[in-house]
Amino acid sequence: MTNDGTISLEDELAHWPTDETGALAVQDRLRAHVRREQSGPEPGFAGTVVGVDVAYDDEHDLVAAAAVALDAATLAVVEEATAVGRVSFPYVPGLLAFREIPTVVDALGRLGRTPDLVVCDGYGLAHPRRFGLASHLGVLTGLPTIGVAKNPFTSRYELPGVERGESSPLVDGSGDGTGEDEVVGRALRTQKGVKPVFVSIGHRIDLDRACAHTLHLSPKYRIPETTRAADALCRRALSKARAG
């Protein structure tokens, strides 16, 4: 797995921050590397889309990550990998990536293939500092990434229409101190009459395509199949780690 030549994954992991001040500095430094102009692969492309998710046990200082590769056309699971690590960063809203990414990267590295697209259970651009988990992971790995969250965090939206595929803008303050609103993603209805999910770009993909992928990955349920599979797997991995 390689990135675009401007960020060293190994160096970033070797100097991983352990406090809020250091983490905020990393977000400020890496945010400019997010690529919004690339369209990314088309939904149903010939390749693999990987879902990543984590589960915690703070009492035992454990975090388990899962990476599940699906055939991008058929959504069949083709490979799975897990990794278990120690929680090395405190819980701070807006900085959850610093608790999760080292173990997620470990799980991704255990796959026998390089993902063509990664779907995160969380935020990308739809983040107070425009650098959520999906963007951070994308910049570090160089992979196209999408954030699909269950809740809108700090952003605002109006409910989209009830039909599958309908959406509305997800807006937030500009993040630069001006207070001006910025569209940071979309509230997307993946199933008729069901609560929307909140889609934002992570890295190397545009919002239209991110939403199209989210719909393709959600043929039956509100949550994409990538996230459903990774959520179940990381929970099993955490349970096994506790027992061990």
Side-chain angles (χ1 to χ4, degrees):
M1 192 188 318
T2 60
N3 63 15
D4 61 8
T6 60
I7 299 295
S8 167
L9 173 61
E10 292 75 15
D11 286 350
E12 294 294 333
L13 293 177
H15 298 91
W16 202 250
T18 57
D19 59 30
E20 183 173 355
T21 300
L24 291 172
V26 168
Q27 287 184 334
D28 288 341
R29 175 169 55 83
L30 295 183
R31 182 172 51 235
H33 293 273
V34 173
R35 295 292 170 258
R36 307 186 190 187
E37 71 279 1
Q38 298 182 21
S39 58
E42 294 184 4
F45 65 95
T48 55
V49 55
V50 172
V52 295
D53 201 2
V54 300
Y56 294 104
D57 183 341
D58 283 309
E59 181 180 350
H60 295 91
D61 193 32
L62 292 174
V63 55
V68 182
L70 276 62
D71 182 290
T74 67
L75 306 188
V77 174
V78 295
E79 191 179 1
E80 299 177 340
T82 62
V84 177
R86 293 291 176 183
V87 178
S88 59
F89 194 89
Y91 173 80
V92 181
L95 298 178
L96 296 186
F98 294 93
R99 289 166 62 88
E100 300 179 2
I101 281 181
T103 312
V104 168
V105 167
D106 190 0
L108 282 171
R110 294 170 187 245
L111 292 173
R113 65 195 74 210
T114 299
D116 298 293
L117 176 68
V118 178
V119 179
C120 300
D121 179 21
Y123 311 98
L125 193 64
H127 179 276
R129 285 177 292 280
R130 305 297 180 265
F131 200 68
L133 170 67
S135 294
H136 201 156
L137 184 64
V139 167
L140 289 183
T141 63
L143 298 171
T145 53
I146 296 171
V148 182
K150 300 179 185 72
N151 299 293
F153 199 18
T154 60
S155 304
R156 307 184 310 280
Y157 69 101
E158 294 185 2
L159 275 175
V162 299
E163 297 297 325
R164 169 178 160 86
E166 296 200 63
S167 66
S168 61
L170 197 59
V171 298
D172 198 1
S174 63
D176 61 6
T178 66
E180 296 180 0
D181 279 344
E182 178 182 1
V183 175
V184 295
R186 286 182 196 153
L188 177 66
R189 195 86 68 174
T190 55
Q191 300 298 324
K192 181 177 180 180
V194 173
K195 181 181 176 182
V197 295
F198 303 92
V199 182
S200 57
I201 67 168
H203 183 58
R204 294 181 56 202
I205 193 165
D206 63 36
L207 185 56
D208 284 344
R209 195 150 286 181
C211 289
H213 276 292
T214 302
L215 284 174
H216 177 71
L217 293 167
S218 309
K220 297 180 180 179
Y221 303 103
R222 176 186 176 227
I223 304 301
E225 291 301 302
T226 40
T227 300
R228 284 166 44 81
D231 174 75
L233 182 60
C234 70
R235 292 176 186 276
R236 293 198 301 269
L238 183 63
S239 179
K240 183 178 179 180
R242 286 196 196 107

